[in-house]
Amino acid sequence: DAVPGTNPSWGVSRLQNELRDQGYQFKGPSRSPGQIFRNPQTGEEVRIMERPSSVFRNDPGQKHFNDWYYRYRSGPDQQWGSHITIPNKPGSGPK
């Protein structure tokens, strides 16, 4: 369940910039270290999160492959999609 209009090769900084270009706005921090972006026109949301320091046996591997991952949902009444790994890029980090 990738964010429509995005590229899986983008690092976290590029993803954040592209979300803003698509009309998403920073909504606030997520419970785990990360950020929530929301598109006020469509209700879509994206949670960009850091790799957790602990691994639980039921965790999907995508949460731990790289430094960042995200989850997408198409509206406030929809379920969050699967965990999508964000590739590590030199100098990437949250903005």
Side-chain angles (χ1 to χ4, degrees):
D1 303 300
V3 178
T6 61
N7 186 315
S9 67
W10 292 343
V12 68
S13 296
R14 173 82 185 268
L15 178 61
Q16 291 167 324
N17 289 335
E18 295 291 337
L19 288 173
R20 288 184 192 99
D21 288 349
Q22 291 182 25
Y24 286 81
Q25 298 173 350
F26 178 69
K27 184 177 172 184
S30 64
R31 281 184 287 166
S32 60
Q35 303 172 339
I36 299 174
F37 289 85
R38 183 173 187 278
N39 186 323
Q41 280 80 32
T42 64
E44 295 168 288
E45 291 185 310
V46 178
R47 288 172 39 196
I48 299 175
M49 293 164 285
E50 291 183 52
R51 176 181 53 216
S53 58
S54 303
V55 179
F56 297 96
R57 68 175 176 210
N58 61 342
D59 273 353
Q62 291 82 353
K63 288 175 72 169
H64 303 279
F65 289 151
N66 291 323
D67 295 337
W68 299 91
Y69 68 96
Y70 75 85
R71 295 182 79 184
Y72 164 78
R73 71 176 173 178
S74 58
D77 58 342
Q78 302 298 310
Q79 295 291 322
W80 285 99
S82 58
H83 300 75
I84 307 289
T85 298
I86 300 172
N88 289 334
K89 302 285 181 170
S92 67
K95 287 186 175 185

Short mmCIF file of all heavy atoms in Angstrom, two decimals, residues 17-77:
data_model
loop_
_atom_site.label_atom_id
_atom_site.label_comp_id
_atom_site.label_asym_id
_atom_site.label_seq_id
_atom_site.Cartn_x
_atom_site.Cartn_y
_atom_site.Cartn_z
N ASN A 17 9.38 15.86 0.89
CA ASN A 17 9.22 16.98 -0.04
C ASN A 17 8.12 16.70 -1.06
O ASN A 17 7.31 17.58 -1.38
CB ASN A 17 10.53 17.28 -0.76
CG ASN A 17 11.56 17.89 0.16
OD1 ASN A 17 11.23 18.51 1.17
ND2 ASN A 17 12.83 17.72 -0.18
N GLU A 18 8.09 15.50 -1.58
CA GLU A 18 7.07 15.14 -2.57
C GLU A 18 5.67 15.13 -1.94
O GLU A 18 4.70 15.53 -2.58
CB GLU A 18 7.38 13.78 -3.21
CG GLU A 18 8.65 13.78 -4.04
CD GLU A 18 8.56 14.59 -5.32
OE1 GLU A 18 7.44 14.81 -5.83
OE2 GLU A 18 9.63 15.00 -5.83
N LEU A 19 5.57 14.68 -0.70
CA LEU A 19 4.27 14.71 -0.02
C LEU A 19 3.77 16.16 0.09
O LEU A 19 2.60 16.44 -0.20
CB LEU A 19 4.36 14.08 1.37
CG LEU A 19 4.52 12.56 1.41
CD1 LEU A 19 4.76 12.11 2.85
CD2 LEU A 19 3.32 11.85 0.82
N ARG A 20 4.66 17.07 0.48
CA ARG A 20 4.27 18.48 0.57
C ARG A 20 3.84 19.01 -0.80
O ARG A 20 2.86 19.75 -0.91
CB ARG A 20 5.42 19.31 1.13
CG ARG A 20 5.67 19.07 2.60
CD ARG A 20 6.75 20.00 3.14
NE ARG A 20 7.16 19.58 4.45
CZ ARG A 20 8.25 18.85 4.72
NH1 ARG A 20 9.06 18.47 3.75
NH2 ARG A 20 8.54 18.50 5.95
N ASP A 21 4.57 18.62 -1.86
CA ASP A 21 4.21 19.06 -3.21
C ASP A 21 2.84 18.53 -3.63
O ASP A 21 2.16 19.13 -4.45
CB ASP A 21 5.26 18.61 -4.23
CG ASP A 21 6.57 19.39 -4.11
OD1 ASP A 21 6.61 20.41 -3.39
OD2 ASP A 21 7.56 18.95 -4.74
N GLN A 22 2.43 17.39 -3.08
CA GLN A 22 1.14 16.78 -3.40
C GLN A 22 0.01 17.31 -2.51
O GLN A 22 -1.11 16.82 -2.57
CB GLN A 22 1.20 15.26 -3.28
CG GLN A 22 2.04 14.57 -4.32
CD GLN A 22 2.02 13.06 -4.17
OE1 GLN A 22 1.08 12.48 -3.64
NE2 GLN A 22 3.06 12.42 -4.64
N GLY A 23 0.31 18.28 -1.64
CA GLY A 23 -0.72 18.89 -0.81
C GLY A 23 -0.81 18.35 0.61
O GLY A 23 -1.69 18.76 1.36
N TYR A 24 0.09 17.45 0.99
CA TYR A 24 0.10 16.95 2.37
C TYR A 24 0.69 18.03 3.27
O TYR A 24 1.58 18.78 2.88
CB TYR A 24 0.96 15.69 2.49
CG TYR A 24 0.35 14.45 1.91
CD1 TYR A 24 0.40 14.19 0.54
CD2 TYR A 24 -0.27 13.51 2.73
CE1 TYR A 24 -0.15 13.03 0.01
CE2 TYR A 24 -0.83 12.35 2.21
CZ TYR A 24 -0.77 12.13 0.86
OH TYR A 24 -1.31 10.99 0.34
N GLN A 25 0.20 18.07 4.49
CA GLN A 25 0.69 19.01 5.49
C GLN A 25 1.15 18.23 6.71
O GLN A 25 0.57 17.19 7.04
CB GLN A 25 -0.40 19.99 5.89
CG GLN A 25 -0.89 20.84 4.75
CD GLN A 25 -2.08 21.69 5.13
OE1 GLN A 25 -2.68 21.54 6.18
NE2 GLN A 25 -2.45 22.60 4.24
N PHE A 26 2.17 18.75 7.38
CA PHE A 26 2.65 18.13 8.62
C PHE A 26 1.56 18.24 9.66
O PHE A 26 1.08 19.33 9.97
CB PHE A 26 3.93 18.81 9.09
CG PHE A 26 4.47 18.27 10.38
CD1 PHE A 26 4.99 17.00 10.45
CD2 PHE A 26 4.42 19.04 11.53
CE1 PHE A 26 5.48 16.50 11.65
CE2 PHE A 26 4.91 18.56 12.73
CZ PHE A 26 5.44 17.28 12.79
N LYS A 27 1.12 17.10 10.19
CA LYS A 27 0.05 17.08 11.19
C LYS A 27 0.61 17.07 12.61
O LYS A 27 0.02 17.59 13.52
CB LYS A 27 -0.83 15.86 10.94
CG LYS A 27 -2.04 15.76 11.84
CD LYS A 27 -2.87 14.55 11.44
CE LYS A 27 -3.99 14.32 12.44
NZ LYS A 27 -4.73 13.10 12.12
N GLY A 28 1.77 16.43 12.79
CA GLY A 28 2.39 16.37 14.10
C GLY A 28 3.23 15.12 14.24
O GLY A 28 3.32 14.31 13.33
N PRO A 29 3.85 14.97 15.41
CA PRO A 29 4.67 13.77 15.64
C PRO A 29 3.79 12.54 15.84
O PRO A 29 2.64 12.65 16.29
CB PRO A 29 5.45 14.11 16.90
CG PRO A 29 4.63 15.13 17.59
CD PRO A 29 3.88 15.89 16.53
N SER A 30 4.33 11.37 15.50
CA SER A 30 3.63 10.13 15.78
C SER A 30 4.06 9.63 17.16
O SER A 30 5.01 10.14 17.75
CB SER A 30 3.94 9.08 14.71
OG SER A 30 5.30 8.75 14.72
N ARG A 31 3.34 8.64 17.68
CA ARG A 31 3.67 8.12 19.02
C ARG A 31 5.08 7.56 19.06
O ARG A 31 5.81 7.79 20.01
CB ARG A 31 2.67 7.04 19.43
CG ARG A 31 1.37 7.62 19.93
CD ARG A 31 0.46 6.55 20.40
NE ARG A 31 -0.04 5.85 19.22
CZ ARG A 31 -0.64 4.69 19.22
NH1 ARG A 31 -0.85 4.06 20.34
NH2 ARG A 31 -1.08 4.15 18.11
N SER A 32 5.44 6.78 18.06
CA SER A 32 6.83 6.33 17.99
C SER A 32 7.60 7.46 17.29
O SER A 32 6.99 8.32 16.68
CB SER A 32 6.93 5.03 17.19
OG SER A 32 6.46 5.22 15.89
N PRO A 33 8.92 7.47 17.38
CA PRO A 33 9.63 8.58 16.72
C PRO A 33 9.26 8.63 15.24
O PRO A 33 9.51 7.70 14.49
CB PRO A 33 11.09 8.24 16.91
CG PRO A 33 11.13 7.34 18.10
CD PRO A 33 9.83 6.59 18.06
N GLY A 34 8.62 9.70 14.85
CA GLY A 34 8.22 9.86 13.46
C GLY A 34 7.29 11.04 13.28
O GLY A 34 7.11 11.85 14.17
N GLN A 35 6.72 11.13 12.08
CA GLN A 35 5.89 12.26 11.71
C GLN A 35 4.65 11.79 10.99
O GLN A 35 4.68 10.77 10.29
CB GLN A 35 6.66 13.19 10.78
CG GLN A 35 7.95 13.69 11.35
CD GLN A 35 8.76 14.45 10.31
OE1 GLN A 35 8.57 14.31 9.13
NE2 GLN A 35 9.67 15.27 10.79
N ILE A 36 3.56 12.56 11.11
CA ILE A 36 2.33 12.27 10.40
C ILE A 36 2.06 13.42 9.44
O ILE A 36 2.10 14.59 9.82
CB ILE A 36 1.15 12.11 11.38
CG1 ILE A 36 1.42 10.94 12.33
CG2 ILE A 36 -0.15 11.88 10.59
CD1 ILE A 36 0.37 10.79 13.42
N PHE A 37 1.80 13.06 8.19
CA PHE A 37 1.41 14.02 7.16
C PHE A 37 -0.01 13.71 6.73
O PHE A 37 -0.37 12.54 6.59
CB PHE A 37 2.35 13.92 5.95
CG PHE A 37 3.73 14.44 6.21
CD1 PHE A 37 4.69 13.62 6.78
CD2 PHE A 37 4.08 15.74 5.91
CE1 PHE A 37 5.97 14.09 7.03
CE2 PHE A 37 5.35 16.22 6.16
CZ PHE A 37 6.30 15.40 6.72
N ARG A 38 -0.80 14.76 6.50
CA ARG A 38 -2.20 14.57 6.09
C ARG A 38 -2.51 15.49 4.92
O ARG A 38 -2.09 16.64 4.88
CB ARG A 38 -3.14 14.90 7.24
CG ARG A 38 -4.59 14.66 6.93
CD ARG A 38 -5.46 14.84 8.18
NE ARG A 38 -6.81 14.43 7.91
CZ ARG A 38 -7.72 15.21 7.31
NH1 ARG A 38 -7.41 16.43 6.95
NH2 ARG A 38 -8.93 14.75 7.10
N ASN A 39 -3.26 14.96 3.96
CA ASN A 39 -3.73 15.76 2.85
C ASN A 39 -5.14 16.23 3.19
O ASN A 39 -6.07 15.42 3.22
CB ASN A 39 -3.72 14.95 1.55
CG ASN A 39 -4.06 15.79 0.35
OD1 ASN A 39 -4.89 16.69 0.42
ND2 ASN A 39 -3.41 15.50 -0.76
N PRO A 40 -5.34 17.52 3.48
CA PRO A 40 -6.65 17.99 3.92
C PRO A 40 -7.74 17.87 2.83
O PRO A 40 -8.91 17.76 3.15
CB PRO A 40 -6.42 19.45 4.31
CG PRO A 40 -5.15 19.84 3.68
CD PRO A 40 -4.35 18.60 3.47
N GLN A 41 -7.35 17.88 1.56
CA GLN A 41 -8.34 17.75 0.48
C GLN A 41 -8.87 16.33 0.36
O GLN A 41 -10.04 16.12 0.07
CB GLN A 41 -7.75 18.17 -0.88
CG GLN A 41 -7.73 19.67 -1.09
CD GLN A 41 -6.56 20.33 -0.40
OE1 GLN A 41 -5.49 19.74 -0.26
NE2 GLN A 41 -6.75 21.55 0.06
N THR A 42 -8.02 15.32 0.56
CA THR A 42 -8.40 13.93 0.31
C THR A 42 -8.58 13.12 1.59
O THR A 42 -9.18 12.05 1.55
CB THR A 42 -7.34 13.23 -0.56
OG1 THR A 42 -6.11 13.18 0.18
CG2 THR A 42 -7.13 13.96 -1.88
N GLY A 43 -8.02 13.58 2.71
CA GLY A 43 -8.07 12.83 3.96
C GLY A 43 -7.00 11.76 4.06
O GLY A 43 -6.90 11.06 5.06
N GLU A 44 -6.15 11.63 3.03
CA GLU A 44 -5.07 10.64 3.06
C GLU A 44 -4.06 11.01 4.14
O GLU A 44 -3.84 12.19 4.41
CB GLU A 44 -4.36 10.58 1.72
CG GLU A 44 -5.21 10.10 0.57
CD GLU A 44 -4.53 10.34 -0.75
OE1 GLU A 44 -4.47 11.52 -1.16
OE2 GLU A 44 -4.07 9.36 -1.36
N GLU A 45 -3.45 9.99 4.74
CA GLU A 45 -2.42 10.21 5.76
C GLU A 45 -1.23 9.29 5.53
O GLU A 45 -1.38 8.18 5.03
CB GLU A 45 -2.97 9.94 7.16
CG GLU A 45 -3.99 10.97 7.60
CD GLU A 45 -4.43 10.74 9.03
OE1 GLU A 45 -4.81 9.60 9.35
OE2 GLU A 45 -4.39 11.70 9.81
N VAL A 46 -0.05 9.79 5.91
CA VAL A 46 1.19 9.03 5.83
C VAL A 46 1.90 9.19 7.16
O VAL A 46 2.07 10.30 7.65
CB VAL A 46 2.10 9.53 4.67
CG1 VAL A 46 3.39 8.74 4.64
CG2 VAL A 46 1.37 9.43 3.34
N ARG A 47 2.30 8.06 7.75
CA ARG A 47 3.12 8.07 8.97
C ARG A 47 4.52 7.64 8.59
O ARG A 47 4.73 6.51 8.15
CB ARG A 47 2.55 7.11 10.00
CG ARG A 47 1.27 7.59 10.60
CD ARG A 47 0.58 6.58 11.48
NE ARG A 47 1.48 5.78 12.30
CZ ARG A 47 1.12 4.65 12.90
NH1 ARG A 47 -0.11 4.20 12.79
NH2 ARG A 47 1.98 3.99 13.63
N ILE A 48 5.49 8.53 8.73
CA ILE A 48 6.90 8.22 8.47
C ILE A 48 7.56 8.00 9.82
O ILE A 48 7.52 8.87 10.68
CB ILE A 48 7.59 9.37 7.70
CG1 ILE A 48 6.91 9.57 6.34
CG2 ILE A 48 9.07 9.07 7.53
CD1 ILE A 48 7.44 10.75 5.56
N MET A 49 8.15 6.82 10.00
CA MET A 49 8.68 6.46 11.31
C MET A 49 10.10 5.92 11.23
O MET A 49 10.50 5.33 10.22
CB MET A 49 7.77 5.43 11.96
CG MET A 49 6.40 6.03 12.28
SD MET A 49 5.14 4.80 12.61
CE MET A 49 4.82 4.22 10.97
N GLU A 50 10.83 6.14 12.33
CA GLU A 50 12.19 5.60 12.44
C GLU A 50 12.12 4.11 12.77
O GLU A 50 11.17 3.64 13.39
CB GLU A 50 12.95 6.30 13.56
CG GLU A 50 13.28 7.73 13.27
CD GLU A 50 14.09 8.34 14.40
OE1 GLU A 50 15.12 7.75 14.79
OE2 GLU A 50 13.68 9.40 14.89
N ARG A 51 13.16 3.41 12.37
CA ARG A 51 13.27 1.99 12.72
C ARG A 51 13.26 1.86 14.24
O ARG A 51 14.00 2.57 14.93
CB ARG A 51 14.57 1.42 12.15
CG ARG A 51 14.82 -0.02 12.56
CD ARG A 51 16.12 -0.58 12.01
NE ARG A 51 17.23 0.28 12.37
CZ ARG A 51 18.26 0.50 11.58
NH1 ARG A 51 18.35 -0.05 10.40
NH2 ARG A 51 19.23 1.29 11.98
N PRO A 52 12.42 0.98 14.79
CA PRO A 52 12.39 0.81 16.24
C PRO A 52 13.67 0.15 16.76
O PRO A 52 14.32 -0.61 16.05
CB PRO A 52 11.19 -0.09 16.49
CG PRO A 52 10.69 -0.54 15.18
CD PRO A 52 11.44 0.18 14.11
N SER A 53 14.02 0.46 17.99
CA SER A 53 15.23 -0.12 18.58
C SER A 53 15.01 -1.56 19.04
O SER A 53 15.95 -2.32 19.13
CB SER A 53 15.71 0.74 19.74
OG SER A 53 14.69 0.86 20.71
N SER A 54 13.78 -1.91 19.32
CA SER A 54 13.46 -3.28 19.75
C SER A 54 12.75 -4.03 18.63
O SER A 54 12.02 -3.43 17.84
CB SER A 54 12.53 -3.25 20.95
OG SER A 54 13.09 -2.52 22.00
N VAL A 55 12.97 -5.34 18.59
CA VAL A 55 12.31 -6.19 17.61
C VAL A 55 11.40 -7.15 18.36
O VAL A 55 11.84 -7.85 19.26
CB VAL A 55 13.34 -6.99 16.78
CG1 VAL A 55 12.63 -7.88 15.78
CG2 VAL A 55 14.31 -6.05 16.07
N PHE A 56 10.13 -7.13 17.97
CA PHE A 56 9.18 -8.07 18.53
C PHE A 56 8.92 -9.16 17.51
O PHE A 56 9.00 -8.92 16.30
CB PHE A 56 7.88 -7.36 18.92
CG PHE A 56 8.07 -6.34 20.00
CD1 PHE A 56 8.25 -5.00 19.68
CD2 PHE A 56 8.12 -6.72 21.33
CE1 PHE A 56 8.44 -4.05 20.67
CE2 PHE A 56 8.32 -5.78 22.33
CZ PHE A 56 8.48 -4.45 22.00
N ARG A 57 8.59 -10.35 17.96
CA ARG A 57 8.49 -11.48 17.03
C ARG A 57 7.40 -11.31 15.98
O ARG A 57 7.47 -11.88 14.91
CB ARG A 57 8.31 -12.78 17.79
CG ARG A 57 7.00 -12.89 18.49
CD ARG A 57 6.83 -14.25 19.13
NE ARG A 57 5.58 -14.21 19.86
CZ ARG A 57 5.34 -14.89 20.93
NH1 ARG A 57 6.25 -15.68 21.40
NH2 ARG A 57 4.18 -14.80 21.53
N ASN A 58 6.39 -10.49 16.24
CA ASN A 58 5.34 -10.29 15.25
C ASN A 58 5.56 -9.04 14.39
O ASN A 58 4.70 -8.69 13.58
CB ASN A 58 3.96 -10.25 15.91
CG ASN A 58 3.82 -9.11 16.89
OD1 ASN A 58 4.80 -8.54 17.34
ND2 ASN A 58 2.59 -8.80 17.26
N ASP A 59 6.70 -8.37 14.55
CA ASP A 59 7.02 -7.19 13.74
C ASP A 59 7.27 -7.60 12.28
O ASP A 59 7.99 -8.57 12.03
CB ASP A 59 8.30 -6.51 14.23
CG ASP A 59 8.06 -5.51 15.33
OD1 ASP A 59 6.90 -5.22 15.63
OD2 ASP A 59 9.06 -5.02 15.88
N PRO A 60 6.74 -6.85 11.33
CA PRO A 60 7.11 -7.10 9.94
C PRO A 60 8.56 -6.67 9.70
O PRO A 60 9.02 -5.69 10.30
CB PRO A 60 6.13 -6.25 9.13
CG PRO A 60 5.64 -5.22 10.08
CD PRO A 60 5.76 -5.79 11.47
N GLY A 61 9.26 -7.38 8.86
CA GLY A 61 10.66 -7.06 8.58
C GLY A 61 10.87 -5.68 8.02
O GLY A 61 11.91 -5.06 8.24
N GLN A 62 9.88 -5.14 7.31
CA GLN A 62 10.02 -3.83 6.69
C GLN A 62 10.28 -2.73 7.71
O GLN A 62 10.82 -1.69 7.37
CB GLN A 62 8.76 -3.48 5.87
CG GLN A 62 8.60 -4.32 4.64
CD GLN A 62 7.96 -5.68 4.93
OE1 GLN A 62 7.75 -6.06 6.07
NE2 GLN A 62 7.69 -6.43 3.88
N LYS A 63 9.91 -2.93 8.96
CA LYS A 63 10.18 -1.94 10.00
C LYS A 63 11.65 -1.88 10.36
O LYS A 63 12.11 -0.90 10.95
CB LYS A 63 9.39 -2.27 11.28
CG LYS A 63 7.91 -2.03 11.16
CD LYS A 63 7.17 -2.49 12.40
CE LYS A 63 7.40 -1.61 13.59
NZ LYS A 63 6.48 -1.91 14.71
N HIS A 64 12.41 -2.92 10.01
CA HIS A 64 13.79 -3.04 10.50
C HIS A 64 14.84 -3.09 9.39
O HIS A 64 16.03 -3.12 9.69
CB HIS A 64 13.91 -4.27 11.39
CG HIS A 64 12.96 -4.24 12.54
ND1 HIS A 64 13.20 -3.52 13.69
CD2 HIS A 64 11.73 -4.79 12.71
CE1 HIS A 64 12.18 -3.65 14.52
NE2 HIS A 64 11.27 -4.41 13.95
N PHE A 65 14.43 -3.10 8.13
CA PHE A 65 15.39 -3.21 7.03
C PHE A 65 16.28 -1.98 6.90
O PHE A 65 17.46 -2.08 6.62
CB PHE A 65 14.68 -3.44 5.70
CG PHE A 65 14.06 -4.81 5.56
CD1 PHE A 65 12.95 -4.97 4.77
CD2 PHE A 65 14.59 -5.91 6.19
CE1 PHE A 65 12.37 -6.22 4.62
CE2 PHE A 65 14.01 -7.16 6.06
CZ PHE A 65 12.90 -7.32 5.27
N ASN A 66 15.71 -0.79 7.05
CA ASN A 66 16.44 0.47 6.89
C ASN A 66 16.14 1.39 8.06
O ASN A 66 15.43 1.03 8.99
CB ASN A 66 16.06 1.14 5.56
CG ASN A 66 16.57 0.36 4.36
OD1 ASN A 66 17.65 -0.20 4.39
ND2 ASN A 66 15.77 0.32 3.30
N ASP A 67 16.66 2.62 8.00
CA ASP A 67 16.49 3.57 9.09
C ASP A 67 15.06 4.10 9.21
O ASP A 67 14.65 4.54 10.27
CB ASP A 67 17.44 4.76 8.92
CG ASP A 67 18.90 4.35 9.02
OD1 ASP A 67 19.18 3.30 9.63
OD2 ASP A 67 19.75 5.09 8.49
N TRP A 68 14.29 4.08 8.10
CA TRP A 68 12.96 4.67 8.05
C TRP A 68 11.99 3.73 7.35
O TRP A 68 12.38 2.96 6.47
CB TRP A 68 12.97 6.00 7.30
CG TRP A 68 13.84 7.03 7.93
CD1 TRP A 68 15.16 7.27 7.67
CD2 TRP A 68 13.47 7.94 8.97
NE1 TRP A 68 15.63 8.28 8.47
CE2 TRP A 68 14.61 8.71 9.27
CE3 TRP A 68 12.29 8.20 9.64
CZ2 TRP A 68 14.60 9.71 10.22
CZ3 TRP A 68 12.29 9.20 10.60
CH2 TRP A 68 13.43 9.94 10.88
N TYR A 69 10.72 3.85 7.70
CA TYR A 69 9.64 3.17 6.98
C TYR A 69 8.40 4.04 7.09
O TYR A 69 8.37 5.01 7.85
CB TYR A 69 9.38 1.76 7.54
CG TYR A 69 8.79 1.74 8.93
CD1 TYR A 69 7.41 1.61 9.12
CD2 TYR A 69 9.60 1.83 10.07
CE1 TYR A 69 6.87 1.58 10.39
CE2 TYR A 69 9.06 1.80 11.33
CZ TYR A 69 7.69 1.67 11.49
OH TYR A 69 7.15 1.66 12.74
N TYR A 70 7.40 3.74 6.28
CA TYR A 70 6.16 4.51 6.39
C TYR A 70 4.95 3.60 6.24
O TYR A 70 5.06 2.46 5.81
CB TYR A 70 6.11 5.67 5.39
CG TYR A 70 5.83 5.28 3.95
CD1 TYR A 70 4.53 5.10 3.50
CD2 TYR A 70 6.87 5.11 3.04
CE1 TYR A 70 4.25 4.76 2.18
CE2 TYR A 70 6.61 4.77 1.73
CZ TYR A 70 5.31 4.60 1.31
OH TYR A 70 5.05 4.26 0.01
N ARG A 71 3.81 4.16 6.63
CA ARG A 71 2.51 3.51 6.43
C ARG A 71 1.57 4.56 5.84
O ARG A 71 1.68 5.73 6.16
CB ARG A 71 1.95 2.97 7.74
CG ARG A 71 2.84 1.85 8.29
CD ARG A 71 2.29 1.27 9.54
NE ARG A 71 1.20 0.33 9.18
CZ ARG A 71 0.45 -0.28 10.07
NH1 ARG A 71 0.64 -0.08 11.36
NH2 ARG A 71 -0.49 -1.11 9.68
N TYR A 72 0.67 4.10 5.00
CA TYR A 72 -0.24 4.99 4.28
C TYR A 72 -1.67 4.52 4.50
O TYR A 72 -1.93 3.32 4.59
CB TYR A 72 0.11 4.94 2.78
CG TYR A 72 -0.96 5.50 1.87
CD1 TYR A 72 -1.12 6.86 1.72
CD2 TYR A 72 -1.80 4.66 1.16
CE1 TYR A 72 -2.10 7.38 0.89
CE2 TYR A 72 -2.78 5.16 0.31
CZ TYR A 72 -2.92 6.52 0.18
OH TYR A 72 -3.89 7.02 -0.64
N ARG A 73 -2.59 5.47 4.58
CA ARG A 73 -4.01 5.13 4.54
C ARG A 73 -4.74 6.15 3.68
O ARG A 73 -4.42 7.34 3.69
CB ARG A 73 -4.62 4.98 5.92
CG ARG A 73 -4.81 6.22 6.72
CD ARG A 73 -5.52 5.86 8.00
NE ARG A 73 -5.59 6.99 8.91
CZ ARG A 73 -6.20 6.93 10.07
NH1 ARG A 73 -6.78 5.82 10.46
NH2 ARG A 73 -6.23 7.98 10.86
N SER A 74 -5.72 5.67 2.96
CA SER A 74 -6.39 6.48 1.96
C SER A 74 -7.44 7.42 2.53
O SER A 74 -7.98 8.26 1.81
CB SER A 74 -7.00 5.60 0.87
OG SER A 74 -7.92 4.69 1.46
N GLY A 75 -7.74 7.31 3.80
CA GLY A 75 -8.70 8.21 4.43
C GLY A 75 -8.82 7.92 5.91
O GLY A 75 -8.36 6.88 6.39
N PRO A 76 -9.43 8.84 6.68
CA PRO A 76 -9.49 8.67 8.13
C PRO A 76 -10.29 7.46 8.59
O PRO A 76 -10.05 6.94 9.67
CB PRO A 76 -10.12 9.97 8.63
CG PRO A 76 -10.78 10.57 7.44
CD PRO A 76 -10.06 10.06 6.23
N ASP A 77 -11.20 6.97 7.77
CA ASP A 77 -12.00 5.81 8.15
C ASP A 77 -11.43 4.50 7.59
O ASP A 77 -12.06 3.46 7.67
CB ASP A 77 -13.45 5.99 7.70
CG ASP A 77 -13.57 6.21 6.20
OD1 ASP A 77 -12.55 6.57 5.57
OD2 ASP A 77 -14.68 6.03 5.66
#
